[in-house]
Amino acid sequence: MLRFSIVILLLLLGFSAQSQTITILIDPGHGGSDPGHESPNAAHKPEKELNLIIAKKFGTYLTEKLSNVTVLYTRTDDSFPSLDERVEMANSKNVDYFISIHCNGSPNKNIHGTESHVHSMTSRKSVKLAKEFEKEFGGKAGRKSRGIKDTDDREHTLQVLKFTEMTSVLVECGFVTNEAEANYLNSTYGQDILASALFRGMRTFLQEEHPSIQFTKKTTTTASSTESASGTTTETTYTVQIMSSKDPIETTATAFKKLDKTVVREKIAETGYKYRYVVGSFSTKEAAETYKDEVRQKGFPDAIVITKKKT
Ligand SMILES: [Zn+2]
């Protein structure tokens, strides 16, 4: 009887130790012979490729920035695991969270924005996670959030959400059929912003759902008793985008001379408005907003503040 109790105790200990690590399965939608949605612009990548790029960036942020998180993928190349295989992988690998990454399409070229899909609004955790994603998309990432959708909204079920036994969300990162959004989705800049929005949403959710787990990576191995309470470090700066253009404009152009700071041209897409022009680097949004107002006065009425991640 004593030996039996010890075995139970060890099992419990083993179980609780194991549960301190969160496993996230990221599912880049489509792949292989299934391209997913396609942009009418042949220069644009099909949905399957965009999904994979965003999924990998999202996963990389999770593994690089958080501790006690294991990231798995349903595919890491241009293969096509069947929907059954994706579900089976989620249900057999002790996965805590299943996140499927997609891009949307519509016959209406004007429709754009992000969506986070859940199987049912009664799944508290899935809805909460979906909310965090949409909050980040519509907030800091500056996308148009189309909100959370469930089976009733879609009028059909999604296999990967219905049959996965854990908290699961399917994210639509934008419409490849809307020209501006397709350009954004095809730009490294857009992909980075979307992936970091997913990362921040996931991090907020994890910290709230699992308060006993230390997700913040310790930067030093010594003095662990005096780690900061917030555990967050400044990782963003702000700059002012004064304009964008289809063809490159020299930053020495006369129009830019009115500004007291150096104008930097950045390539953000392969087609359409490929270039943007930014001025200044600010550590607070307020400072950037003030400068933006100044720049608008100086003849750049479309100036906006943009957030940059420090790399
Ligand atoms: Zn899709």
Side-chain angles (χ1 to χ4, degrees):
M1 187 58 194
L2 179 64
R3 181 177 293 175
F4 180 71
S5 305
I6 288 170
V7 168
I8 294 290
L9 183 66
L10 286 174
L11 280 173
L12 284 171
L13 283 172
F15 177 76
S16 66
Q18 194 182 25
S19 68
Q20 291 303 296
T21 295
I22 298 297
T23 302
I24 300 169
L25 177 59
I26 301 178
D27 172 43
H30 312 278
S33 58
D34 172 17
H37 290 292
E38 289 181 282
S39 160
N41 183 338
H44 286 159
K45 294 182 168 76
E47 185 201 337
K48 64 173 185 176
E49 284 184 44
L50 299 172
N51 296 342
L52 186 60
I53 293 168
I54 296 166
K56 280 184 177 174
K57 282 179 193 274
F58 172 40
T60 304
Y61 285 139
L62 288 170
T63 45
E64 279 180 359
K65 293 173 189 263
L66 300 182
S67 52
N68 297 314
V69 165
T70 302
V71 173
L72 304 174
Y73 298 90
T74 54
R75 67 179 178 98
T76 53
D77 56 19
D78 189 25
S79 56
F80 180 68
S82 70
L83 296 179
D84 281 342
E85 284 167 337
R86 295 175 204 236
V87 168
E88 165 65 17
M89 207 182 293
N91 291 344
S92 66
K93 294 198 184 238
N94 244 322
V95 168
D96 298 292
Y97 299 103
F98 178 88
I99 318 289
S100 193
I101 309 290
H102 286 252
C103 296
N104 226 328
S106 166
N108 181 343
K109 289 188 283 187
N110 296 320
I111 295 184
H112 65 282
T114 63
E115 295 175 354
S116 289
H117 291 254
V118 298
H119 177 61
S120 158
M121 291 296 182
T122 60
S123 166
R124 184 192 68 83
K125 284 205 213 176
S126 297
V127 170
K128 186 178 173 190
L129 180 54
K131 260 186 199 157
E132 293 298 343
F133 288 147
E134 288 305 311
K135 200 165 92 188
E136 291 295 340
F137 284 143
K140 210 167 169 185
R143 310 311 297 159
K144 180 191 173 188
S145 167
R146 293 168 48 84
I148 303 169
K149 314 275 177 190
D150 72 353
T151 304
D152 292 340
D153 298 316
R154 285 187 299 274
E155 297 179 331
H156 65 88
T157 59
L158 290 169
Q159 201 174 335
V160 292
L161 296 182
K162 185 174 181 185
F163 295 106
T164 44
E165 290 157 3
M166 68 295 306
T167 298
S168 57
V169 176
L170 183 147
V171 175
E172 297 279 7
C173 295
F175 285 74
V176 299
T177 42
N178 174 271
E179 194 187 357
E181 199 150 68
N183 286 340
Y184 184 85
L185 288 163
N186 277 271
S187 71
T188 306
Y189 170 77
Q191 293 152 3
D192 284 343
I193 298 277
L194 290 164
S196 33
L198 289 169
F199 164 71
R200 289 193 307 274
M202 191 80 224
R203 179 179 59 185
T204 304
F205 174 90
L206 289 174
Q207 286 171 338
E208 286 176 11
E209 279 298 313
H210 306 277
S212 63
I213 301 180
Q214 172 63 260
F215 291 110
T216 309
K217 272 199 174 159
K218 291 188 177 74
T219 44
T220 58
T221 46
T222 55
S224 58
S225 58
T226 57
E227 40 178 304
S228 84
S230 72
T232 52
T233 52
T234 308
E235 53 190 20
T236 51
T237 56
Y238 302 89
T239 185
V240 175
Q241 176 182 323
I242 54 174
M243 59 176 284
S244 56
S245 69
K246 290 185 176 174
D247 296 311
I249 297 170
E250 286 309 318
T251 53
T252 51
T254 324
F256 296 143
K257 295 238 164 74
K258 288 174 275 182
L259 303 171
D260 57 347
K261 290 180 167 53
T262 311
V263 175
V264 178
R265 184 177 73 212
E266 296 177 341
K267 189 165 184 193
I268 53 166
E270 294 303 321
T271 54
Y273 283 90
K274 299 188 278 292
Y275 303 95
R276 69 172 180 188
Y277 303 81
V278 299
V279 187
S281 178
F282 306 90
S283 56
T284 67
K285 197 169 185 185
E286 289 71 21
E289 291 285 351
T290 305
Y291 188 66
K292 175 206 73 187
D293 293 340
E294 209 177 291
V295 166
R296 283 188 174 180
Q297 296 290 322
K298 288 184 176 170
F300 298 95
D302 298 326
I304 51 164
V305 170
I306 57 174
T307 306
K308 288 199 135 187
K309 284 176 287 113
K310 253 183 211 161
T311 48

